[in-house]
Amino acid sequence: MKRILTGLQPSGELTLGSLIGSIGQMVMYQNEYESFIFVPDMHAITVKQDPKLLKERVIKNVALYIACGLDPSKNVIYIQSENLYHANLSWVLECNTYIGEASRMTQFKDKSKKQDNVTVGLFTYPILMAADILLYDADYVPVGVDQKQHVELARDISERFNKTYGNTFKIPEPLIPEVGAKIMDLSDPTRKMSKSDVTGKGVIYLLDDEKTIRKKIMSAVTDSESKVYYDLVNKPGISNLLTIYSSLKEISIKETEEHFKDCNYGNLKKEVADLVVEKLSIIQEKYNNLINSEELDKILDNGKDVTNVIAKKKLEEVFNKVGLGRY
Ligand code: AMP
Ligand code: TRP
């Protein structure tokens, strides 16, 4: 079985968009691949974080991913900072990466423009990401397009290392998911529903309560026509509600259109809200059972143990090859 590895940033509260867009993909992959999934909390501190909030969010996200269907018996689930080998390998890789290469990363250029105090960590972050991947000989790295360049850097670094020191790392390949459903903001359906949205007015968070979910969906922006059909250009709001319904029901947009063809906007919204409430209440129930449970601790302890054994072996090989240590 081929191995995939990916990191899920703990940068915000997970949304209905994350569920339909990325978690759904991971749940599919778990049956095809041996999956390593971790929370890159060390990446998160490249920008300012509230320490208490960061800790809480990491645990919360892990519990939510599992509640959404990531099966701990099919995935190795772990927290990056509980494995000290990542940062250690990162140092060796930093010493084998050129400033020119690292300076080409477009995400760094974008992010550093938005920040007053840019840290060195933000600059070297793609090299830590290369270490995350190379420690485990991952075949594929599922990421969004914005991360493709980082995986390509990991390829360049590993190819060069192998050439210089002998075969050590598997060369990873990015796995970019086919373009799936894109869920838009309910109050501005021309914008992606995003966990980093400031007001959160048009964003459904996975842990929103029933009343909030209903209120947000019932006040979703639509259009002045009154007929329900899918048209992204002229009816982005209605199309978004149809997309949400079809994704959660796992039926096509055509079938969804047919289902709602005689409905008015109020009825459409009500039915979409019923479905979202139904789906999220199942997830929330699982989440509530998991958070603060011994089971969650066990899952993370297992992830920590399994990955530390693999990573230790790889790092010792690397140290040995570059001439570090006595043996
Ligand atoms: P983000 O949460 O913005 O960092 O995005 C992480 C991944 O989640 C993206 O690569 C998308 O695959 C998915 N995602 C996030 N928001 C949405 C959305 N509104 N609709 C569909 N997919 C999304
Ligand atoms: N940089 C990724 C992001 O922002 C998260 C990440 C860190 C990652 N290390 C990784 C993804 C290793 C895949 C593999 O989303």
Side-chain angles (χ1 to χ4, degrees):
M1 225 184 204
K2 297 272 189 195
R3 180 177 289 177
I4 60 171
L5 176 144
T6 198
L8 306 162
Q9 281 275 16
S11 52
E13 302 286 320
L14 297 172
T15 71
L16 190 63
S18 344
L19 174 68
I20 294 173
S22 73
I23 307 177
Q25 292 277 348
M26 295 309 300
V27 170
M28 269 166 39
Y29 289 143
Q30 70 186 1
N31 298 317
E32 279 172 67
Y33 300 105
E34 183 190 16
S35 319
F36 280 57
I37 295 183
F38 70 102
V39 182
D41 54 345
M42 294 174 68
H43 285 258
I45 62 164
T46 52
V47 295
K48 264 256 163 314
Q49 298 285 345
D50 174 319
K52 192 163 165 274
L53 261 181
L54 176 62
K55 252 184 207 287
E56 277 170 14
R57 195 177 278 148
V58 168
I59 293 295
K60 220 166 142 179
N61 281 10
V62 171
L64 258 179
Y65 285 120
I66 298 170
C68 289
L70 280 189
D71 181 345
S73 71
K74 293 183 181 160
N75 299 275
V76 180
I77 301 172
Y78 56 110
I79 297 175
Q80 185 184 31
S81 59
E82 294 194 347
N83 188 317
L84 304 182
Y85 297 105
H86 289 237
N88 257 306
L89 178 61
S90 182
W91 176 251
V92 178
L93 299 182
E94 275 178 45
C95 298
N96 284 275
T97 305
Y98 300 112
I99 299 262
E101 285 178 300
S103 306
R104 278 199 291 275
M105 297 298 114
T106 55
Q107 197 184 52
F108 174 73
K109 291 185 206 168
D110 291 347
K111 279 196 179 173
S112 55
K113 263 188 229 138
K114 290 184 201 142
Q115 222 115 22
D116 286 338
N117 296 306
V118 179
T119 65
V120 177
L122 190 66
F123 180 65
T124 56
Y125 144 129
I127 308 172
L128 177 59
M129 178 162 163
D132 298 335
I133 300 168
L134 300 179
L135 271 177
Y136 302 99
D137 288 321
D139 294 284
Y140 300 111
V141 183
V143 281
V145 253
D146 63 316
Q147 295 293 320
K148 191 167 170 236
Q149 197 186 26
H150 295 163
V151 181
E152 277 157 6
L153 179 69
R155 286 174 64 85
D156 291 343
I157 295 175
S158 54
E159 274 169 7
R160 188 168 50 238
F161 192 98
N162 286 353
K163 246 191 227 135
T164 313
Y165 299 102
N167 204 15
T168 312
F169 299 120
K170 183 164 260 171
I171 316 293
E173 270 179 58
L175 186 63
I176 312 287
E178 284 159 36
V179 190
K182 189 163 160 201
I183 308 303
M184 309 307 277
D185 188 282
L186 295 169
S187 59
D188 175 2
T190 57
R191 231 169 7 124
K192 197 178 103 164
M193 183 183 282
S194 163
K195 60 186 179 186
S196 43
D197 187 76
V198 192
T199 70
K201 232 174 57 186
V203 179
I204 306 235
Y205 297 99
L206 296 183
L207 295 177
D208 273 349
D209 62 28
E210 173 167 356
K211 202 167 137 222
T212 310
I213 297 172
R214 288 194 188 278
K215 193 165 151 227
K216 285 177 180 168
I217 296 181
M218 293 314 287
S219 35
V221 167
T222 51
D223 53 69
S224 54
E225 224 187 2
S226 57
K227 213 169 152 0
V228 176
Y229 60 97
Y230 187 84
D231 177 345
L232 269 184
V233 178
N234 300 308
K235 301 169 79 68
I238 292 296
S239 303
N240 190 34
L241 294 171
L242 293 173
T243 304
I244 293 173
Y245 190 89
S246 86
S247 308
L248 293 179
K249 271 272 182 212
E250 299 182 37
I251 59 173
S252 67
I253 291 284
K254 269 239 131 357
E255 287 169 290
T256 310
E257 266 183 323
E258 185 60 30
H259 177 78
F260 286 113
K261 72 177 192 310
D262 297 321
C263 276
N264 61 33
Y265 287 4
N267 291 339
L268 165 72
K269 285 177 172 179
K270 173 151 186 329
E271 212 174 309
V272 172
D274 286 343
L275 180 63
V276 173
V277 166
E278 180 197 323
K279 292 282 175 189
L280 294 194
S281 67
I282 299 171
I283 291 174
Q284 290 175 9
E285 195 190 329
K286 286 194 196 151
Y287 170 85
N288 289 327
N289 288 334
L290 260 176
I291 194 83
N292 303 323
S293 73
E294 251 176 57
E295 190 189 343
L296 189 60
D297 268 337
K298 269 199 202 133
I299 293 166
L300 289 172
D301 283 345
N302 177 62
K304 179 178 164 183
D305 293 345
V306 169
T307 58
N308 268 279
V309 170
I310 302 175
K312 177 173 193 283
K313 198 162 160 242
K314 186 61 98 186
L315 191 74
E316 279 172 0
E317 184 187 345
V318 168
F319 270 19
N320 193 25
K321 284 188 167 156
V322 300
L324 298 176
R326 276 187 297 150
Y327 305 106

mmCIF file of all heavy atoms in Angstrom, residues 217 222 228 238 241-242 245 256 260 263-273:
data_model
loop_
_atom_site.group_PDB
_atom_site.id
_atom_site.type_symbol
_atom_site.label_atom_id
_atom_site.label_comp_id
_atom_site.label_asym_id
_atom_site.label_seq_id
_atom_site.Cartn_x
_atom_site.Cartn_y
_atom_site.Cartn_z
ATOM 1 N N ILE A 217 -28.383 29.996 7.782
ATOM 2 C CA ILE A 217 -28.874 29.502 6.488
ATOM 3 C C ILE A 217 -30.137 30.250 6.064
ATOM 4 O O ILE A 217 -30.289 30.650 4.913
ATOM 5 C CB ILE A 217 -29.103 27.978 6.518
ATOM 6 C CG1 ILE A 217 -27.753 27.278 6.732
ATOM 7 C CG2 ILE A 217 -29.760 27.502 5.215
ATOM 8 C CD1 ILE A 217 -27.804 25.783 6.770
ATOM 9 N N THR A 222 -29.629 35.545 -1.392
ATOM 10 C CA THR A 222 -30.035 34.830 -2.618
ATOM 11 C C THR A 222 -30.125 35.827 -3.773
ATOM 12 O O THR A 222 -29.173 36.559 -4.015
ATOM 13 C CB THR A 222 -31.372 34.093 -2.402
ATOM 14 O OG1 THR A 222 -32.327 35.004 -1.873
ATOM 15 C CG2 THR A 222 -31.200 32.924 -1.454
ATOM 16 N N VAL A 228 -35.935 28.077 -8.290
ATOM 17 C CA VAL A 228 -34.727 27.392 -7.821
ATOM 18 C C VAL A 228 -34.081 26.610 -8.966
ATOM 19 O O VAL A 228 -34.672 25.693 -9.518
ATOM 20 C CB VAL A 228 -35.073 26.406 -6.678
ATOM 21 C CG1 VAL A 228 -33.830 25.621 -6.269
ATOM 22 C CG2 VAL A 228 -35.644 27.138 -5.471
ATOM 23 N N ILE A 238 -28.225 30.762 -4.431
ATOM 24 C CA ILE A 238 -29.044 29.555 -4.581
ATOM 25 C C ILE A 238 -28.160 28.368 -4.986
ATOM 26 O O ILE A 238 -28.295 27.260 -4.446
ATOM 27 C CB ILE A 238 -30.154 29.797 -5.638
ATOM 28 C CG1 ILE A 238 -31.177 30.817 -5.111
ATOM 29 C CG2 ILE A 238 -30.851 28.495 -6.039
ATOM 30 C CD1 ILE A 238 -31.962 30.384 -3.880
ATOM 31 N N LEU A 241 -26.462 26.916 -1.992
ATOM 32 C CA LEU A 241 -27.336 26.078 -1.157
ATOM 33 C C LEU A 241 -27.547 24.709 -1.812
ATOM 34 O O LEU A 241 -27.550 23.671 -1.139
ATOM 35 C CB LEU A 241 -28.683 26.780 -0.917
ATOM 36 C CG LEU A 241 -28.601 28.068 -0.075
ATOM 37 C CD1 LEU A 241 -29.930 28.813 -0.080
ATOM 38 C CD2 LEU A 241 -28.178 27.744 1.365
ATOM 39 N N LEU A 242 -27.673 24.715 -3.148
ATOM 40 C CA LEU A 242 -27.845 23.433 -3.853
ATOM 41 C C LEU A 242 -26.576 22.582 -3.727
ATOM 42 O O LEU A 242 -26.641 21.365 -3.549
ATOM 43 C CB LEU A 242 -28.173 23.676 -5.335
ATOM 44 C CG LEU A 242 -29.546 24.334 -5.620
ATOM 45 C CD1 LEU A 242 -29.689 24.687 -7.098
ATOM 46 C CD2 LEU A 242 -30.697 23.415 -5.191
ATOM 47 N N TYR A 245 -26.417 21.021 -0.273
ATOM 48 C CA TYR A 245 -27.364 19.913 -0.163
ATOM 49 C C TYR A 245 -26.857 18.687 -0.921
ATOM 50 O O TYR A 245 -26.832 17.574 -0.393
ATOM 51 C CB TYR A 245 -28.740 20.351 -0.695
ATOM 52 C CG TYR A 245 -29.850 19.367 -0.417
ATOM 53 C CD1 TYR A 245 -30.594 19.430 0.754
ATOM 54 C CD2 TYR A 245 -30.154 18.355 -1.332
ATOM 55 C CE1 TYR A 245 -31.616 18.529 1.022
ATOM 56 C CE2 TYR A 245 -31.173 17.435 -1.073
ATOM 57 C CZ TYR A 245 -31.900 17.534 0.108
ATOM 58 O OH TYR A 245 -32.906 16.630 0.359
ATOM 59 N N THR A 256 -30.500 17.236 -7.315
ATOM 60 C CA THR A 256 -30.861 18.227 -6.300
ATOM 61 C C THR A 256 -31.803 19.271 -6.900
ATOM 62 O O THR A 256 -32.817 19.637 -6.292
ATOM 63 C CB THR A 256 -29.578 18.910 -5.751
ATOM 64 O OG1 THR A 256 -28.653 17.892 -5.392
ATOM 65 C CG2 THR A 256 -29.876 19.761 -4.540
ATOM 66 N N PHE A 260 -35.799 20.158 -5.805
ATOM 67 C CA PHE A 260 -36.269 21.462 -5.302
ATOM 68 C C PHE A 260 -37.024 22.273 -6.349
ATOM 69 O O PHE A 260 -37.317 23.439 -6.119
ATOM 70 C CB PHE A 260 -35.076 22.288 -4.801
ATOM 71 C CG PHE A 260 -34.521 21.808 -3.481
ATOM 72 C CD1 PHE A 260 -33.246 21.240 -3.403
ATOM 73 C CD2 PHE A 260 -35.268 21.933 -2.309
ATOM 74 C CE1 PHE A 260 -32.737 20.813 -2.189
ATOM 75 C CE2 PHE A 260 -34.749 21.498 -1.092
ATOM 76 C CZ PHE A 260 -33.488 20.936 -1.029
ATOM 77 N N CYS A 263 -40.004 24.315 -5.265
ATOM 78 C CA CYS A 263 -39.908 24.963 -3.941
ATOM 79 C C CYS A 263 -39.691 26.464 -4.061
ATOM 80 O O CYS A 263 -39.058 26.928 -5.010
ATOM 81 C CB CYS A 263 -38.694 24.413 -3.199
ATOM 82 S SG CYS A 263 -39.035 22.897 -2.347
ATOM 83 N N ASN A 264 -40.138 27.211 -3.057
ATOM 84 C CA ASN A 264 -39.717 28.621 -3.002
ATOM 85 C C ASN A 264 -38.422 28.695 -2.172
ATOM 86 O O ASN A 264 -37.989 27.696 -1.602
ATOM 87 C CB ASN A 264 -40.834 29.512 -2.447
ATOM 88 C CG ASN A 264 -41.214 29.123 -1.027
ATOM 89 O OD1 ASN A 264 -40.366 28.670 -0.245
ATOM 90 N ND2 ASN A 264 -42.470 29.296 -0.676
ATOM 91 N N TYR A 265 -37.828 29.888 -2.135
ATOM 92 C CA TYR A 265 -36.527 30.029 -1.473
ATOM 93 C C TYR A 265 -36.597 29.677 0.010
ATOM 94 O O TYR A 265 -35.684 29.090 0.580
ATOM 95 C CB TYR A 265 -35.981 31.457 -1.650
ATOM 96 C CG TYR A 265 -35.484 31.760 -3.059
ATOM 97 C CD1 TYR A 265 -35.609 30.826 -4.086
ATOM 98 C CD2 TYR A 265 -34.881 32.983 -3.349
ATOM 99 C CE1 TYR A 265 -35.167 31.113 -5.356
ATOM 100 C CE2 TYR A 265 -34.424 33.275 -4.623
ATOM 101 C CZ TYR A 265 -34.574 32.340 -5.629
ATOM 102 O OH TYR A 265 -34.119 32.630 -6.876
ATOM 103 N N GLY A 266 -37.731 30.049 0.639
ATOM 104 C CA GLY A 266 -37.884 29.770 2.072
ATOM 105 C C GLY A 266 -37.864 28.279 2.351
ATOM 106 O O GLY A 266 -37.161 27.820 3.267
ATOM 107 N N ASN A 267 -38.578 27.525 1.535
ATOM 108 C CA ASN A 267 -38.606 26.066 1.739
ATOM 109 C C ASN A 267 -37.261 25.420 1.441
ATOM 110 O O ASN A 267 -36.834 24.489 2.120
ATOM 111 C CB ASN A 267 -39.682 25.413 0.857
ATOM 112 C CG ASN A 267 -41.072 25.802 1.325
ATOM 113 O OD1 ASN A 267 -41.241 26.199 2.469
ATOM 114 N ND2 ASN A 267 -42.056 25.706 0.438
ATOM 115 N N LEU A 268 -36.606 25.923 0.391
ATOM 116 C CA LEU A 268 -35.273 25.406 0.052
ATOM 117 C C LEU A 268 -34.328 25.600 1.247
ATOM 118 O O LEU A 268 -33.663 24.661 1.700
ATOM 119 C CB LEU A 268 -34.715 26.146 -1.176
ATOM 120 C CG LEU A 268 -33.211 25.981 -1.430
ATOM 121 C CD1 LEU A 268 -32.886 24.572 -1.936
ATOM 122 C CD2 LEU A 268 -32.693 27.011 -2.451
ATOM 123 N N LYS A 269 -34.339 26.827 1.777
ATOM 124 C CA LYS A 269 -33.436 27.119 2.900
ATOM 125 C C LYS A 269 -33.753 26.226 4.095
ATOM 126 O O LYS A 269 -32.856 25.722 4.764
ATOM 127 C CB LYS A 269 -33.569 28.580 3.320
ATOM 128 C CG LYS A 269 -32.893 29.546 2.367
ATOM 129 C CD LYS A 269 -33.150 30.969 2.819
ATOM 130 C CE LYS A 269 -32.342 31.965 2.007
ATOM 131 N NZ LYS A 269 -32.610 33.343 2.435
ATOM 132 N N LYS A 270 -35.048 26.046 4.341
ATOM 133 C CA LYS A 270 -35.433 25.253 5.511
ATOM 134 C C LYS A 270 -34.930 23.815 5.362
ATOM 135 O O LYS A 270 -34.388 23.231 6.297
ATOM 136 C CB LYS A 270 -36.950 25.291 5.697
ATOM 137 C CG LYS A 270 -37.383 24.353 6.795
ATOM 138 C CD LYS A 270 -38.627 24.763 7.509
ATOM 139 C CE LYS A 270 -38.891 23.833 8.688
ATOM 140 N NZ LYS A 270 -38.444 22.456 8.523
ATOM 141 N N GLU A 271 -35.083 23.270 4.149
ATOM 142 C CA GLU A 271 -34.659 21.875 3.965
ATOM 143 C C GLU A 271 -33.130 21.725 4.035
ATOM 144 O O GLU A 271 -32.609 20.755 4.581
ATOM 145 C CB GLU A 271 -35.209 21.322 2.643
ATOM 146 C CG GLU A 271 -35.479 19.836 2.769
ATOM 147 C CD GLU A 271 -36.154 19.231 1.555
ATOM 148 O OE1 GLU A 271 -37.190 19.779 1.108
ATOM 149 O OE2 GLU A 271 -35.647 18.227 1.053
ATOM 150 N N VAL A 272 -32.426 22.727 3.480
ATOM 151 C CA VAL A 272 -30.957 22.691 3.572
ATOM 152 C C VAL A 272 -30.553 22.784 5.049
ATOM 153 O O VAL A 272 -29.685 22.027 5.523
ATOM 154 C CB VAL A 272 -30.310 23.832 2.742
ATOM 155 C CG1 VAL A 272 -28.811 23.899 2.992
ATOM 156 C CG2 VAL A 272 -30.583 23.622 1.254
ATOM 157 N N ALA A 273 -31.206 23.684 5.784
ATOM 158 C CA ALA A 273 -30.879 23.844 7.203
ATOM 159 C C ALA A 273 -31.141 22.546 7.972
ATOM 160 O O ALA A 273 -30.309 22.124 8.788
ATOM 161 C CB ALA A 273 -31.684 24.990 7.809
#
